Amino acid sequence: MVVHREESEESLNQLFRALADGTRRDILARSITETPSVSELAAHYEMSFAAVQKHVAVLERAGLVRKRAKGREQLVSADRVRLRRASALLDFYESVWRRRVAQLDDVLLPKED
Amino acid sequence: MPVTSVTKDPEALTLTLVADFPVPQRRLWEAWADPRQLERFWGPPSAPATFTHHDFRVGGRAEYFLTLPGGEKWSGAWKFTAVSPIDSFAADDGEANAEDGDMPMSMSFAFEATPTGSRMVSVTRFSSVEAMEETTPGMEAGLRAAMPQLDEVLAG
């Protein structure tokens, strides 16, 4: 149950660093709906291929995208499994918070009986 | 229905909730500052919370346990990283025995007066998907009775 504890602080920092950049958020968005190659991605930005490659590497280290080789191309895809897991858990936490807020409302406004 | 909006970002692993209450900002703050009131809404009805400690200042800790339906207890703790009465506070959240700085979740709360009462904006931030899954077992045990959809979430 506590297997991943030791990496949580650093992975949090990595995640926020990765998402703090507009180009990287854009790369992530593009790699959710399709699986672009690094050179296809590079065509969208006014920066060198190497710079785009570095952005992809930051996203990869944060666990947000995966890269796989296809011939001489590097294809980039968002880690959908991770995003799906995150999304399902956030749904769960939403229900926890909705319940808490309903209970807080009862504390703030005691019902007459 | 006091929940005004919920925004979830699975990429950044955050959940932002906005809720409006028809009471003054100070009254809303008191509900969080007073452990006897806090324990009336933190845990689900099936697993009520008992706060044994609530040192509501920067660096202070809150410690609590949930009494699960079988009588078993699940312990949790917050470490307050910011406290600004009656406007905001922030805390790291985790199991009671977690080392400092090793908590898988952080929460921040902002409170403000509105024309109809007060508004609470809460942001929960997880350090990783694994951290979210880690915190779920404690919640799962407490919430299972009240939350039939949980099995589906954990299976997915």
Side-chain angles (χ1 to χ4, degrees):
Chain A
M1 187 167 149
V2 202
V3 182
H4 298 278
R5 268 285 157 69
E6 67 280 1
E7 67 178 39
S8 63
E9 179 93 354
E10 183 48 29
S11 73
L12 177 67
N13 290 339
Q14 263 180 356
L15 190 68
F16 282 102
R17 269 201 299 273
L19 291 168
D21 180 273
T23 303
R24 289 199 286 272
R25 286 195 299 272
D26 198 64
I27 290 173
L28 182 62
R30 289 178 193 278
S31 59
I32 289 171
T33 50
E34 51 201 301
T35 308
S37 66
V38 178
S39 40
E40 279 164 358
L41 285 169
H44 292 287
Y45 312 106
E46 288 183 358
M47 60 178 79
S48 67
F49 178 81
V52 173
Q53 225 169 7
K54 277 184 190 162
H55 280 312
V56 171
V58 172
L59 289 168
E60 196 181 12
R61 275 199 298 277
L64 291 164
V65 302
R66 292 165 189 274
K67 262 191 338 209
R68 69 187 156 86
K70 187 188 170 196
R72 291 163 61 187
E73 288 281 19
Q74 295 269 34
L75 300 184
V76 182
S77 57
D79 188 338
R80 285 162 183 258
V81 173
R82 183 182 191 274
L83 290 174
R84 258 204 307 276
R85 276 161 69 205
S87 179
L89 285 159
L90 286 171
D91 289 346
F92 167 67
Y93 279 96
E94 176 182 348
S95 64
V96 169
W97 273 102
R98 283 189 180 277
R99 193 256 312 144
R100 271 185 196 142
V101 167
Q103 290 178 181
L104 175 56
D105 201 45
D106 290 344
V107 169
L108 296 173
L109 295 170
K111 305 274 183 295
E112 305 280 337
D113 48 19
Chain B
M1 191 60 183
V3 173
T4 303
S5 73
V6 177
T7 312
K8 290 173 285 186
D9 185 342
E11 288 163 25
L13 304 181
T14 58
L15 182 140
T16 303
L17 176 138
V18 179
D20 288 288
F21 300 93
V23 300
Q25 182 184 345
R26 182 166 293 280
R27 175 70 194 92
L28 178 58
W29 174 266
E30 280 167 3
W32 288 92
D34 172 7
R36 298 292 82 79
Q37 294 181 50
L38 183 49
E39 61 195 11
R40 288 169 56 199
F41 63 87
W42 185 253
S46 60
T50 304
F51 279 76
T52 52
H53 194 73
H54 191 35
D55 185 8
F56 202 16
R57 55 189 170 164
V58 177
R61 283 167 67 92
E63 290 167 7
Y64 67 95
F65 60 85
L66 301 180
T67 304
L68 307 182
E72 196 190 335
K73 288 176 169 47
W74 187 85
S75 298
W78 304 340
K79 186 183 181 197
F80 295 110
T81 52
V83 179
S84 176
I86 57 175
D87 298 320
S88 64
F89 75 92
D92 294 333
D93 186 359
E95 280 183 72
N97 54 5
E99 299 286 316
D100 280 1
D102 203 15
M103 290 178 159
M105 174 162 51
S106 68
M107 315 180 289
S108 69
F109 298 87
F111 307 95
E112 63 177 38
T114 63
T116 55
S118 53
R119 165 168 287 195
M120 175 178 90
V121 179
S122 116
V123 181
T124 307
R125 190 173 273 123
F126 296 91
S127 53
S128 64
V129 174
E130 291 76 17
M132 297 171 83
E133 287 170 343
E134 255 175 46
T135 56
T136 308
M139 302 206 128
E140 179 204 355
L143 292 164
R144 184 173 284 282
M147 306 248 327
Q149 71 270 42
L150 185 60
D151 286 330
E152 201 182 305
V153 171
L154 295 174

